[in-house]
PDB file of all heavy atoms in Angstrom:
ATOM      1  N   GLY V  23     176.293 115.586  42.796  1.00 70.00           N
ATOM      2  CA  GLY V  23     174.997 115.736  43.270  1.00 70.00           C
ATOM      3  C   GLY V  23     174.814 114.992  44.636  1.00 70.00           C
ATOM      4  O   GLY V  23     174.147 115.424  45.503  1.00 70.00           O
ATOM      5  N   ARG V  24     175.379 113.784  44.755  1.00 72.00           N
ATOM      6  CA  ARG V  24     175.350 113.053  45.933  1.00 72.00           C
ATOM      7  C   ARG V  24     176.056 113.810  47.116  1.00 72.00           C
ATOM      8  O   ARG V  24     175.544 113.726  48.326  1.00 72.00           O
ATOM      9  CB  ARG V  24     175.949 111.650  45.749  1.00 72.00           C
ATOM     10  CG  ARG V  24     175.168 110.780  44.873  1.00 72.00           C
ATOM     11  CD  ARG V  24     175.868 109.454  44.601  1.00 72.00           C
ATOM     12  NE  ARG V  24     176.013 108.665  45.801  1.00 72.00           N
ATOM     13  CZ  ARG V  24     176.829 107.632  45.922  1.00 72.00           C
ATOM     14  NH1 ARG V  24     177.470 107.152  44.917  1.00 72.00           N
ATOM     15  NH2 ARG V  24     176.865 106.972  47.143  1.00 72.00           N
ATOM     16  N   ILE V  25     177.094 114.482  46.801  1.00 73.00           N
ATOM     17  CA  ILE V  25     177.804 115.210  47.875  1.00 73.00           C
ATOM     18  C   ILE V  25     176.923 116.471  48.288  1.00 73.00           C
ATOM     19  O   ILE V  25     176.879 116.768  49.431  1.00 73.00           O
ATOM     20  CB  ILE V  25     179.170 115.661  47.287  1.00 73.00           C
ATOM     21  CG1 ILE V  25     180.077 114.472  47.232  1.00 73.00           C
ATOM     22  CG2 ILE V  25     179.798 116.790  48.298  1.00 73.00           C
ATOM     23  CD1 ILE V  25     181.473 114.795  46.512  1.00 73.00           C
ATOM     24  N   ILE V  26     176.300 117.050  47.251  1.00 71.00           N
ATOM     25  CA  ILE V  26     175.407 118.288  47.597  1.00 71.00           C
ATOM     26  C   ILE V  26     174.214 117.809  48.466  1.00 71.00           C
ATOM     27  O   ILE V  26     173.880 118.428  49.478  1.00 71.00           O
ATOM     28  CB  ILE V  26     174.999 118.906  46.337  1.00 71.00           C
ATOM     29  CG1 ILE V  26     176.178 119.581  45.577  1.00 71.00           C
ATOM     30  CG2 ILE V  26     173.997 120.068  46.641  1.00 71.00           C
ATOM     31  CD1 ILE V  26     175.906 120.126  44.315  1.00 71.00           C
ATOM     32  N   GLY V  27     173.575 116.677  48.084  1.00 72.00           N
ATOM     33  CA  GLY V  27     172.495 116.170  48.824  1.00 72.00           C
ATOM     34  C   GLY V  27     171.256 116.845  48.454  1.00 72.00           C
ATOM     35  O   GLY V  27     171.088 117.872  47.720  1.00 72.00           O
ATOM     36  N   ARG V  28     170.100 116.255  49.042  1.00 74.00           N
ATOM     37  CA  ARG V  28     168.765 116.939  48.851  1.00 74.00           C
ATOM     38  C   ARG V  28     168.778 118.348  49.478  1.00 74.00           C
ATOM     39  O   ARG V  28     168.973 118.467  50.654  1.00 74.00           O
ATOM     40  CB  ARG V  28     167.705 116.153  49.414  1.00 74.00           C
ATOM     41  CG  ARG V  28     166.255 116.581  49.166  1.00 74.00           C
ATOM     42  CD  ARG V  28     165.263 115.643  49.820  1.00 74.00           C
ATOM     43  NE  ARG V  28     165.282 114.323  49.209  1.00 74.00           N
ATOM     44  CZ  ARG V  28     164.616 113.346  49.579  1.00 74.00           C
ATOM     45  NH1 ARG V  28     163.807 113.494  50.579  1.00 74.00           N
ATOM     46  NH2 ARG V  28     164.745 112.125  49.015  1.00 74.00           N
ATOM     47  N   GLU V  29     168.449 119.393  48.595  1.00 71.00           N
ATOM     48  CA  GLU V  29     168.360 120.775  49.024  1.00 71.00           C
ATOM     49  C   GLU V  29     169.669 121.212  49.711  1.00 71.00           C
ATOM     50  O   GLU V  29     169.643 122.154  50.534  1.00 71.00           O
ATOM     51  CB  GLU V  29     167.177 121.018  49.904  1.00 71.00           C
ATOM     52  CG  GLU V  29     165.829 120.674  49.208  1.00 71.00           C
ATOM     53  CD  GLU V  29     164.719 120.975  50.268  1.00 71.00           C
ATOM     54  OE1 GLU V  29     164.998 121.251  51.353  1.00 71.00           O
ATOM     55  OE2 GLU V  29     163.552 120.803  49.811  1.00 71.00           O
ATOM     56  N   GLY V  30     170.808 120.542  49.356  1.00 75.00           N
ATOM     57  CA  GLY V  30     172.152 121.010  49.798  1.00 75.00           C
ATOM     58  C   GLY V  30     172.339 120.540  51.232  1.00 75.00           C
ATOM     59  O   GLY V  30     173.320 121.138  51.879  1.00 75.00           O
ATOM     60  N   ARG V  31     171.649 119.645  51.908  1.00 77.00           N
ATOM     61  CA  ARG V  31     171.889 119.234  53.278  1.00 77.00           C
ATOM     62  C   ARG V  31     173.183 118.653  53.590  1.00 77.00           C
ATOM     63  O   ARG V  31     173.778 118.822  54.559  1.00 77.00           O
ATOM     64  CB  ARG V  31     170.664 118.466  53.768  1.00 77.00           C
ATOM     65  CG  ARG V  31     170.571 117.110  53.109  1.00 77.00           C
ATOM     66  CD  ARG V  31     169.473 116.305  53.737  1.00 77.00           C
ATOM     67  NE  ARG V  31     169.455 114.958  53.175  1.00 77.00           N
ATOM     68  CZ  ARG V  31     168.644 113.962  53.696  1.00 77.00           C
ATOM     69  NH1 ARG V  31     167.822 114.206  54.656  1.00 77.00           N
ATOM     70  NH2 ARG V  31     168.660 112.665  53.027  1.00 77.00           N
ATOM     71  N   ASN V  32     173.622 117.812  52.579  1.00 74.00           N
ATOM     72  CA  ASN V  32     174.881 117.040  52.879  1.00 74.00           C
ATOM     73  C   ASN V  32     176.044 118.110  52.895  1.00 74.00           C
ATOM     74  O   ASN V  32     176.996 117.986  53.632  1.00 74.00           O
ATOM     75  CB  ASN V  32     175.131 116.017  51.735  1.00 74.00           C
ATOM     76  CG  ASN V  32     174.191 114.843  51.869  1.00 74.00           C
ATOM     77  OD1 ASN V  32     173.547 114.678  52.870  1.00 74.00           O
ATOM     78  ND2 ASN V  32     174.088 114.052  50.854  1.00 74.00           N
ATOM     79  N   ILE V  33     176.075 118.977  51.887  1.00 74.00           N
ATOM     80  CA  ILE V  33     177.162 119.908  51.800  1.00 74.00           C
ATOM     81  C   ILE V  33     177.184 120.912  53.004  1.00 74.00           C
ATOM     82  O   ILE V  33     178.230 121.263  53.571  1.00 74.00           O
ATOM     83  CB  ILE V  33     177.190 120.661  50.424  1.00 74.00           C
ATOM     84  CG1 ILE V  33     178.646 121.331  50.190  1.00 74.00           C
ATOM     85  CG2 ILE V  33     176.071 121.831  50.428  1.00 74.00           C
ATOM     86  CD1 ILE V  33     178.778 121.798  48.773  1.00 74.00           C
ATOM     87  N   ARG V  34     175.970 121.300  53.458  1.00 79.00           N
ATOM     88  CA  ARG V  34     175.815 122.116  54.739  1.00 79.00           C
ATOM     89  C   ARG V  34     176.383 121.358  55.939  1.00 79.00           C
ATOM     90  O   ARG V  34     177.090 121.943  56.755  1.00 79.00           O
ATOM     91  CB  ARG V  34     174.439 122.577  54.953  1.00 79.00           C
ATOM     92  CG  ARG V  34     174.032 123.637  53.895  1.00 79.00           C
ATOM     93  CD  ARG V  34     172.778 124.339  54.432  1.00 79.00           C
ATOM     94  NE  ARG V  34     171.581 123.462  54.626  1.00 79.00           N
ATOM     95  CZ  ARG V  34     170.820 123.156  53.645  1.00 79.00           C
ATOM     96  NH1 ARG V  34     170.817 123.659  52.419  1.00 79.00           N
ATOM     97  NH2 ARG V  34     169.769 122.297  53.801  1.00 79.00           N
ATOM     98  N   ALA V  35     176.002 120.138  56.060  1.00 79.00           N
ATOM     99  CA  ALA V  35     176.538 119.324  57.191  1.00 79.00           C
ATOM    100  C   ALA V  35     178.061 119.130  57.150  1.00 79.00           C
ATOM    101  O   ALA V  35     178.705 119.299  58.181  1.00 79.00           O
ATOM    102  CB  ALA V  35     175.753 117.984  57.150  1.00 79.00           C
ATOM    103  N   LEU V  36     178.569 118.985  55.923  1.00 78.00           N
ATOM    104  CA  LEU V  36     180.062 118.840  55.778  1.00 78.00           C
ATOM    105  C   LEU V  36     180.755 120.110  56.172  1.00 78.00           C
ATOM    106  O   LEU V  36     181.760 120.158  56.812  1.00 78.00           O
ATOM    107  CB  LEU V  36     180.406 118.396  54.419  1.00 78.00           C
ATOM    108  CG  LEU V  36     181.831 117.923  54.087  1.00 78.00           C
ATOM    109  CD1 LEU V  36     182.203 116.789  54.986  1.00 78.00           C
ATOM    110  CD2 LEU V  36     181.975 117.460  52.711  1.00 78.00           C
ATOM    111  N   GLU V  37     180.204 121.262  55.664  1.00 78.00           N
ATOM    112  CA  GLU V  37     180.874 122.561  55.974  1.00 78.00           C
ATOM    113  C   GLU V  37     180.732 122.884  57.476  1.00 78.00           C
ATOM    114  O   GLU V  37     181.622 123.323  58.073  1.00 78.00           O
ATOM    115  CB  GLU V  37     180.061 123.645  55.208  1.00 78.00           C
ATOM    116  CG  GLU V  37     180.465 123.728  53.759  1.00 78.00           C
ATOM    117  CD  GLU V  37     179.755 124.757  52.953  1.00 78.00           C
ATOM    118  OE1 GLU V  37     178.684 125.314  53.434  1.00 78.00           O
ATOM    119  OE2 GLU V  37     180.117 125.054  51.895  1.00 78.00           O
ATOM    120  N   ALA V  38     179.627 122.509  58.082  1.00 80.00           N
ATOM    121  CA  ALA V  38     179.433 122.728  59.521  1.00 80.00           C
ATOM    122  C   ALA V  38     180.417 121.848  60.300  1.00 80.00           C
ATOM    123  O   ALA V  38     180.970 122.260  61.401  1.00 80.00           O
ATOM    124  CB  ALA V  38     178.012 122.454  59.892  1.00 80.00           C
ATOM    125  N   ALA V  39     180.571 120.592  59.913  1.00 78.00           N
ATOM    126  CA  ALA V  39     181.401 119.658  60.631  1.00 78.00           C
ATOM    127  C   ALA V  39     182.899 120.065  60.468  1.00 78.00           C
ATOM    128  O   ALA V  39     183.711 119.806  61.477  1.00 78.00           O
ATOM    129  CB  ALA V  39     181.224 118.222  60.249  1.00 78.00           C
ATOM    130  N   THR V  40     183.321 120.485  59.423  1.00 78.00           N
ATOM    131  CA  THR V  40     184.824 120.747  59.050  1.00 78.00           C
ATOM    132  C   THR V  40     185.155 122.161  59.189  1.00 78.00           C
ATOM    133  O   THR V  40     186.340 122.561  59.400  1.00 78.00           O
ATOM    134  CB  THR V  40     185.145 120.284  57.679  1.00 78.00           C
ATOM    135  OG1 THR V  40     184.287 120.952  56.725  1.00 78.00           O
ATOM    136  CG2 THR V  40     184.887 118.813  57.553  1.00 78.00           C
ATOM    137  N   GLY V  41     184.301 123.110  59.099  1.00 75.00           N
ATOM    138  CA  GLY V  41     184.565 124.549  59.115  1.00 75.00           C
ATOM    139  C   GLY V  41     185.277 125.019  57.861  1.00 75.00           C
ATOM    140  O   GLY V  41     185.921 126.025  57.850  1.00 75.00           O
ATOM    141  N   ILE V  42     185.092 124.304  56.762  1.00 75.00           N
ATOM    142  CA  ILE V  42     185.680 124.605  55.381  1.00 75.00           C
ATOM    143  C   ILE V  42     184.601 124.913  54.495  1.00 75.00           C
ATOM    144  O   ILE V  42     183.500 124.259  54.370  1.00 75.00           O
ATOM    145  CB  ILE V  42     186.613 123.454  54.899  1.00 75.00           C
ATOM    146  CG1 ILE V  42     187.689 123.272  55.885  1.00 75.00           C
ATOM    147  CG2 ILE V  42     186.978 123.629  53.607  1.00 75.00           C
ATOM    148  CD1 ILE V  42     188.637 124.394  55.832  1.00 75.00           C
ATOM    149  N   GLU V  43     184.853 125.928  53.558  1.00 76.00           N
ATOM    150  CA  GLU V  43     183.862 126.282  52.566  1.00 76.00           C
ATOM    151  C   GLU V  43     184.066 125.323  51.391  1.00 76.00           C
ATOM    152  O   GLU V  43     185.217 125.200  50.850  1.00 76.00           O
ATOM    153  CB  GLU V  43     184.043 127.701  52.151  1.00 76.00           C
ATOM    154  CG  GLU V  43     182.999 128.141  51.093  1.00 76.00           C
ATOM    155  CD  GLU V  43     183.186 129.535  50.600  1.00 76.00           C
ATOM    156  OE1 GLU V  43     184.230 130.195  51.111  1.00 76.00           O
ATOM    157  OE2 GLU V  43     182.470 129.985  49.688  1.00 76.00           O
ATOM    158  N   ILE V  44     183.018 124.631  50.982  1.00 75.00           N
ATOM    159  CA  ILE V  44     183.029 123.685  49.857  1.00 75.00           C
ATOM    160  C   ILE V  44     182.424 124.320  48.670  1.00 75.00           C
ATOM    161  O   ILE V  44     181.179 124.617  48.680  1.00 75.00           O
ATOM    162  CB  ILE V  44     182.389 122.388  50.233  1.00 75.00           C
ATOM    163  CG1 ILE V  44     183.120 121.754  51.478  1.00 75.00           C
ATOM    164  CG2 ILE V  44     182.391 121.362  49.130  1.00 75.00           C
ATOM    165  CD1 ILE V  44     182.479 120.541  51.995  1.00 75.00           C
ATOM    166  N   ILE V  45     183.194 124.482  47.604  1.00 75.00           N
ATOM    167  CA  ILE V  45     182.778 125.189  46.384  1.00 75.00           C
ATOM    168  C   ILE V  45     182.477 124.097  45.284  1.00 75.00           C
ATOM    169  O   ILE V  45     183.462 123.437  44.893  1.00 75.00           O
ATOM    170  CB  ILE V  45     183.695 126.217  45.913  1.00 75.00           C
ATOM    171  CG1 ILE V  45     183.976 127.271  46.990  1.00 75.00           C
ATOM    172  CG2 ILE V  45     183.232 126.911  44.620  1.00 75.00           C
ATOM    173  CD1 ILE V  45     185.076 128.209  46.739  1.00 75.00           C
ATOM    174  N   VAL V  46     181.241 123.975  44.911  1.00 72.00           N
ATOM    175  CA  VAL V  46     180.851 123.021  43.817  1.00 72.00           C
ATOM    176  C   VAL V  46     180.388 123.862  42.646  1.00 72.00           C
ATOM    177  O   VAL V  46     179.235 124.460  42.744  1.00 72.00           O
ATOM    178  CB  VAL V  46     179.823 122.081  44.341  1.00 72.00           C
ATOM    179  CG1 VAL V  46     179.389 121.116  43.176  1.00 72.00           C
ATOM    180  CG2 VAL V  46     180.256 121.344  45.529  1.00 72.00           C
ATOM    181  N   ASP V  47     181.136 124.059  41.616  1.00 66.00           N
ATOM    182  CA  ASP V  47     180.797 124.801  40.457  1.00 66.00           C
ATOM    183  C   ASP V  47     180.832 123.979  39.174  1.00 66.00           C
ATOM    184  O   ASP V  47     180.825 122.735  39.248  1.00 66.00           O
ATOM    185  CB  ASP V  47     181.615 126.072  40.377  1.00 66.00           C
ATOM    186  CG  ASP V  47     183.170 125.692  40.361  1.00 66.00           C
ATOM    187  OD1 ASP V  47     183.482 124.493  40.131  1.00 66.00           O
ATOM    188  OD2 ASP V  47     184.013 126.503  40.605  1.00 66.00           O
ATOM    189  N   ASP V  48     180.924 124.593  38.091  1.00 64.00           N
ATOM    190  CA  ASP V  48     180.917 123.940  36.857  1.00 64.00           C
ATOM    191  C   ASP V  48     182.239 123.301  36.436  1.00 64.00           C
ATOM    192  O   ASP V  48     182.356 122.706  35.314  1.00 64.00           O
ATOM    193  CB  ASP V  48     180.512 124.935  35.705  1.00 64.00           C
ATOM    194  CG  ASP V  48     179.073 125.498  35.833  1.00 64.00           C
ATOM    195  OD1 ASP V  48     178.293 124.701  36.538  1.00 64.00           O
ATOM    196  OD2 ASP V  48     178.766 126.536  35.414  1.00 64.00           O
ATOM    197  N   THR V  49     183.188 123.437  37.224  1.00 64.00           N
ATOM    198  CA  THR V  49     184.558 122.811  37.011  1.00 64.00           C
ATOM    199  C   THR V  49     184.380 121.241  36.921  1.00 64.00           C
ATOM    200  O   THR V  49     183.813 120.671  37.840  1.00 64.00           O
ATOM    201  CB  THR V  49     185.543 123.068  38.105  1.00 64.00           C
ATOM    202  OG1 THR V  49     185.690 124.504  38.225  1.00 64.00           O
ATOM    203  CG2 THR V  49     186.929 122.544  37.719  1.00 64.00           C
ATOM    204  N   PRO V  50     184.720 120.680  35.841  1.00 66.00           N
ATOM    205  CA  PRO V  50     184.487 119.230  35.630  1.00 66.00           C
ATOM    206  C   PRO V  50     185.372 118.434  36.597  1.00 66.00           C
ATOM    207  O   PRO V  50     186.621 118.653  36.736  1.00 66.00           O
ATOM    208  CB  PRO V  50     184.895 118.966  34.112  1.00 66.00           C
ATOM    209  CG  PRO V  50     185.776 120.100  33.784  1.00 66.00           C
ATOM    210  CD  PRO V  50     185.354 121.263  34.591  1.00 66.00           C
ATOM    211  N   GLU V  51     184.643 117.427  37.155  1.00 68.00           N
ATOM    212  CA  GLU V  51     185.372 116.401  38.011  1.00 68.00           C
ATOM    213  C   GLU V  51     186.247 117.043  39.124  1.00 68.00           C
ATOM    214  O   GLU V  51     187.248 116.548  39.332  1.00 68.00           O
ATOM    215  CB  GLU V  51     186.157 115.480  37.084  1.00 68.00           C
ATOM    216  CG  GLU V  51     185.377 114.725  36.081  1.00 68.00           C
ATOM    217  CD  GLU V  51     186.273 113.780  35.182  1.00 68.00           C
ATOM    218  OE1 GLU V  51     187.499 113.849  35.409  1.00 68.00           O
ATOM    219  OE2 GLU V  51     185.726 113.059  34.459  1.00 68.00           O
ATOM    220  N   ALA V  52     185.772 118.069  39.729  1.00 72.00           N
ATOM    221  CA  ALA V  52     186.563 118.679  40.791  1.00 72.00           C
ATOM    222  C   ALA V  52     185.622 119.445  41.662  1.00 72.00           C
ATOM    223  O   ALA V  52     184.595 119.977  41.309  1.00 72.00           O
ATOM    224  CB  ALA V  52     187.530 119.631  40.206  1.00 72.00           C
ATOM    225  N   ILE V  53     185.999 119.419  43.015  1.00 74.00           N
ATOM    226  CA  ILE V  53     185.310 120.230  44.063  1.00 74.00           C
ATOM    227  C   ILE V  53     186.384 120.992  44.773  1.00 74.00           C
ATOM    228  O   ILE V  53     187.429 120.348  45.072  1.00 74.00           O
ATOM    229  CB  ILE V  53     184.603 119.263  45.021  1.00 74.00           C
ATOM    230  CG1 ILE V  53     183.413 118.659  44.298  1.00 74.00           C
ATOM    231  CG2 ILE V  53     184.112 120.137  46.196  1.00 74.00           C
ATOM    232  CD1 ILE V  53     182.703 117.612  45.198  1.00 74.00           C
ATOM    233  N   VAL V  54     186.232 122.272  45.016  1.00 75.00           N
ATOM    234  CA  VAL V  54     187.178 123.095  45.669  1.00 75.00           C
ATOM    235  C   VAL V  54     186.920 123.283  47.149  1.00 75.00           C
ATOM    236  O   VAL V  54     185.861 123.542  47.472  1.00 75.00           O
ATOM    237  CB  VAL V  54     187.254 124.492  44.947  1.00 75.00           C
ATOM    238  CG1 VAL V  54     188.274 125.379  45.723  1.00 75.00           C
ATOM    239  CG2 VAL V  54     187.604 124.269  43.543  1.00 75.00           C
ATOM    240  N   LEU V  55     187.951 122.947  47.929  1.00 75.00           N
ATOM    241  CA  LEU V  55     187.758 123.070  49.416  1.00 75.00           C
ATOM    242  C   LEU V  55     188.617 124.404  49.809  1.00 75.00           C
ATOM    243  O   LEU V  55     189.860 124.413  49.561  1.00 75.00           O
ATOM    244  CB  LEU V  55     188.396 121.865  50.142  1.00 75.00           C
ATOM    245  CG  LEU V  55     187.862 120.572  49.701  1.00 75.00           C
ATOM    246  CD1 LEU V  55     188.568 119.477  50.497  1.00 75.00           C
ATOM    247  CD2 LEU V  55     186.405 120.425  49.864  1.00 75.00           C
TER     248      LEU V  55
END
């Protein structure tokens, strides 16, 4: 939740800065880059 941020602003900023798609799904304790 902290990585996603309010209304997804953190994850959008991270994707814009790195150019990588960040997938946050129901997979426990894992985020897919």
Side-chain angles (χ1 to χ4, degrees):
R24 295 175 60 189
I25 291 173
I26 295 171
R28 184 180 298 175
E29 298 178 356
R31 64 176 186 174
N32 290 345
I33 198 169
R34 284 197 301 271
L36 192 57
E37 287 179 343
T40 61
I42 294 296
E43 183 183 359
I44 300 174
I45 302 171
V46 181
D47 53 16
D48 296 334
T49 306
E51 299 181 356
I53 293 175
V54 177
L55 309 177

